[in-house]
């Protein structure tokens, strides 16, 4: 793996946000620079849009785009719930916008008016989808004040989500599974007793073992489930049982870097080819960061 080539790709191609993330993670850059770049994607209602999640160019706030912001907040270790970005996310989550009383919407109607990947196309559905609700519920439990209406709502949502997970585990959706793993991490971090964490951990181990793609021959060409979706360090409770596959992913990362320093994107849009070409480049910067971060977390 050539870090210098990856760095050059980032400096030549990345959005300001990914450049700030790279600098924070690997060049002693500042958390404040990341948060300043992130804030540019936040709307007045506290939610996020504007293609923060690069497969949807909708400028309107949506739960999925807001979830993407929470992942960056976690990445830089921002814990201050009085920070304007967090305070405004909590305000968005406490509103009725894009919330049906049980889950936040996976897609929103205005997505269809802007370039987007087919999986972010809006169509009315009665199906329950806990992507990103499970993760956003954990975020609310971690950061909302214990005497707030949002915290009380999140306690109920966590119980509902966990009941669904127990009934449907293992789910076929790797992204839904990842949102439940994030809920577990939030609950573990804040010491919440709203769910039996020992039982939750046991179910997640079953889920992760089921959903990881063990056939490494398809990793380079298909959109598959890799250990890094769930495991971010050797301290993860899910590392020991998946150590061999984590090492396989590290080898995969070291052996499949392209000549330009990036890694191949294994998904694409069928529509909006011009916008997809731009988003694909944005995703390459994000994937560079994720791959190197995972490699360093496992191999040092």
């Amino acid at each position: 793996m050539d870090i210098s080539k990856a760095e050059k790709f980032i400096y030549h191609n990345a959005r300001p946000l990914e450049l700030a993330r790279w600098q924070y993670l690997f060049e002693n850059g500042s958390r404040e620079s990341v948060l300043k770049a992130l804030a540019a994607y936040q709307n007045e209602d506290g939610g996020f849009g504007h293609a923060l999640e690069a497969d949807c160019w909708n400028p309107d706030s949506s739960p999925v785009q807001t979830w993407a912001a929470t992942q960056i907040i976690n990445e830089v270790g921002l814990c201050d719930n009085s920070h304007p970005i967090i305070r405004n996310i909590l305000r968005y989550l406490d509103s009725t916008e894009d919330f049906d009383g049980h889950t936040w919407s996976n897609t929103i109607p205005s997505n269809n008016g802007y370039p987007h990947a087919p999986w972010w196309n809006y169509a009315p559905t009665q199906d329950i989808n806990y992507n990103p609700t499970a993760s956003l519920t954990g975020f609310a439990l971690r950061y909302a004040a214990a005497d707030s209406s949002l915290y009380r709502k999140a306690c109920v949502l966590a119980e509902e989500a966990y009941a669904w997970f127990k009934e449907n585990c293992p789910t076929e959706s790797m992204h839904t599974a990842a949102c439940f793993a994030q809920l577990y991490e939030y609950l573990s971090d804040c010491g919440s007793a709203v769910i039996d964490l020992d039982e939750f951990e046991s179910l997640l181990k079953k889920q992760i073992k089921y959903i990881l793609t063990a056939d490494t021959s398809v990793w380079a060409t298909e959109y598959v489930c890799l250990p890094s979706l769930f495991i971010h360090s050797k301290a993860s409770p899910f590392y020991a049982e998946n150590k061999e596959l984590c090492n396989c992913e590290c080898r995969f990362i070291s052996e499949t870097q392209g000549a330009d320093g990036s890694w191949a994107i294994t998904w694409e849009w069928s529509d909006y080819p011009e916008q997809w070409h731009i988003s694909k480049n944005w995703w390459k910067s994000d994937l560079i960061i994720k791959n190197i971060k995972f490699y360093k977390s496992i191999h040092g």
Side-chain angles (χ1 to χ4, degrees), residues 55-56 58 60-65 92 97-99 103-112 116-125 127 129 131-133:
D55 279 339
C56 185
N58 189 351
D60 296 342
S61 296
S62 75
V64 165
Q65 300 274 5
Y92 170 73
E97 189 74 18
D98 308 317
F99 181 70
T103 60
W104 284 281
S105 304
N106 176 260
T107 61
I108 61 173
S110 58
N111 281 359
N112 294 356
H116 62 279
W119 44 89
W120 295 134
N121 195 65
Y122 174 79
T125 178
D127 294 338
N129 191 336
N131 172 17
T133 292

Side-chain angles (χ1 to χ4, degrees), residues 2 4-6 8-9 255-264 284:
D2 191 326
S4 63
K5 285 185 177 181
K8 186 173 292 186
F9 185 96
E255 293 170 0
T256 57
Q257 186 180 23
D260 66 354
S262 72
W263 281 266
K284 284 187 173 184

Side-chain angles (χ1 to χ4, degrees), residues 247-265:
N247 289 332
C248 284
E249 184 169 359
C250 286
R251 286 195 298 272
F252 174 77
I253 290 170
S254 67
E255 293 170 0
T256 57
Q257 186 180 23
D260 66 354
S262 72
W263 281 266
I265 301 299

